[in-house]
Amino acid sequence: ILCSIGGDHSNQVLKYLDFELIRNNPKIFIGYSDISVLHYAFYSKASLRTFYGPCLISEFGDYPEVLKYTKKSFIEVLTEGTFGEINASEEWTDDFLDWFDQENHTKERASHKSKGYEWWREGHAKGIIVGGCVPSINHTLGTEYWIDPRDTLFFVDIPEGSPGESIDMATLDAFLADLDNAQVFENIRGLIIGRPYRASDGQNAQLKEIIMKYTKEHNYPILYNVNIGHSSPIITLPLGISGEIDSSKNSFRITESWIK
């Protein structure tokens, strides 16, 4: 099941889902952004391992074709079960082309050279990988759908604000404060941050200040600029699977197969 796109209202669907039916009829389920809510619900209520990865319109609708990095990860993860080392992409894009403008249907998005991984705090950590898009995962806080992130490698995907614009850092700070109040940053083993959508250098510096504020009492590693979520290309990442991050090796890797 490949989701068409994200949005804002997956939380309105939850009360209508038959989780016993889903548990007894498992399917590959892929998407990101607001789909985080469904990932959390399927994991917590149906013990279904899902995949944080590309959507049909936003990634597979890219012109002239799916970005090679996105396609390679998608195929390798789903057909081989694991992909070991997750290397940073050599290029990235968050170029905004309005889908409702017909002229954009035959335009290729502009790309930029990637700086690769950045370590906001060095270290080594292993754990189960969970996480999702802020503020989508915030919708599940305090509900039966929330996933306990204790002892995990926790990832954060940072979306747009309004279409084609970066999220306001003060707003993002408030969403991260929700996670802090839920003791997320207190109990994880490592933090992984996806490349923020359309953030300027100044906004990235603000983001680092915010993250360091919420994690200042802890010494776990923090890996930034990973190909997760709203900036393309992106990886297909199995949730609930063992992983490892190690700054000494500039490494982010999956350490088990999702195929049993």
Side-chain angles (χ1 to χ4, degrees):
I1 299 174
L2 179 63
C3 294
S4 295
I5 199 168
D8 293 302
H9 300 101
S10 289
N11 55 347
Q12 296 180 353
V13 176
L14 299 181
K15 63 183 178 181
Y16 302 109
L17 297 177
D18 185 335
F19 291 105
E20 183 176 356
L21 181 67
I22 294 169
R23 180 195 297 269
N24 294 330
N25 298 272
K27 301 290 187 294
I28 289 175
F29 179 85
I30 305 172
Y32 71 104
S33 194
D34 186 53
I35 307 304
S36 299
V37 175
L38 297 177
H39 287 308
Y40 270 52
F42 294 155
Y43 189 93
S44 60
K45 300 293 288 183
S47 300
L48 182 66
R49 177 173 287 167
T50 58
F51 300 82
Y52 201 85
C55 286
L56 181 63
I57 295 175
S58 48
E59 277 69 45
F60 286 91
D62 234 330
Y63 180 86
E65 60 183 357
V66 184
L67 297 180
K68 291 181 180 179
Y69 181 98
T70 299
K71 183 178 180 180
K72 183 174 185 290
S73 176
F74 178 83
I75 292 174
E76 288 184 354
V77 172
L78 296 186
T79 61
E80 299 176 14
T82 185
F83 49 93
E85 194 71 32
I86 305 173
N87 297 309
S89 66
E90 295 182 359
E91 295 182 329
W92 64 277
T93 181
D94 56 9
D95 197 17
F96 176 68
L97 297 176
D98 189 344
W99 298 322
F100 295 101
D101 185 343
Q102 293 292 320
E103 293 184 1
N104 289 333
H105 292 182
T106 55
K107 287 184 179 179
E108 186 173 357
R109 292 191 290 168
S111 61
H112 313 277
K113 182 72 174 178
S114 175
K115 296 179 180 178
Y117 292 152
E118 297 180 27
W119 295 89
W120 285 357
R121 184 183 295 125
E122 296 185 348
H124 172 248
K126 296 180 180 181
I128 299 298
I129 298 173
V130 299
C133 178
V134 175
S136 298
I137 59 175
N138 298 48
H139 295 322
T140 69
L141 281 168
T143 73
E144 60 188 307
Y145 309 108
W146 174 246
I147 299 174
D148 184 358
R150 188 181 306 273
D151 296 326
T152 66
L153 297 181
F154 189 78
F155 73 86
V156 176
D157 170 22
I158 299 172
E160 75 276 12
S162 56
E165 301 294 335
S166 62
I167 191 170
D168 176 72
M169 286 295 129
T171 301
L172 179 60
D173 191 2
F175 293 140
L176 293 175
D178 290 336
L179 302 183
D180 183 51
N181 290 333
Q183 299 181 321
V184 170
F185 301 120
E186 178 179 340
N187 293 313
I188 60 178
R189 293 184 180 178
L191 181 60
I192 300 167
I193 304 171
R195 182 182 292 111
Y197 181 79
R198 309 215 87 186
S200 66
D201 289 344
Q203 288 173 314
N204 284 329
Q206 284 182 280
L207 173 61
K208 184 175 181 180
E209 290 181 3
I210 293 168
I211 292 295
M212 300 313 287
K213 173 182 66 176
Y214 289 122
T215 65
K216 64 182 179 180
E217 302 298 327
H218 312 289
N219 61 3
Y220 49 73
I222 302 175
L223 173 58
Y224 168 77
N225 211 31
V226 180
N227 295 97
I228 294 175
H230 285 72
S231 292
S232 296
I234 59 175
I235 58 175
T236 298
L237 184 63
L239 298 178
I241 202 166
S242 297
E244 180 179 16
I245 55 176
D246 188 344
S247 63
S248 68
K249 300 177 181 178
N250 195 34
S251 173
F252 172 28
R253 61 191 306 266
I254 299 299
T255 56
E256 69 169 317
S257 173
W258 67 267
I259 298 176
K260 302 300 183 181

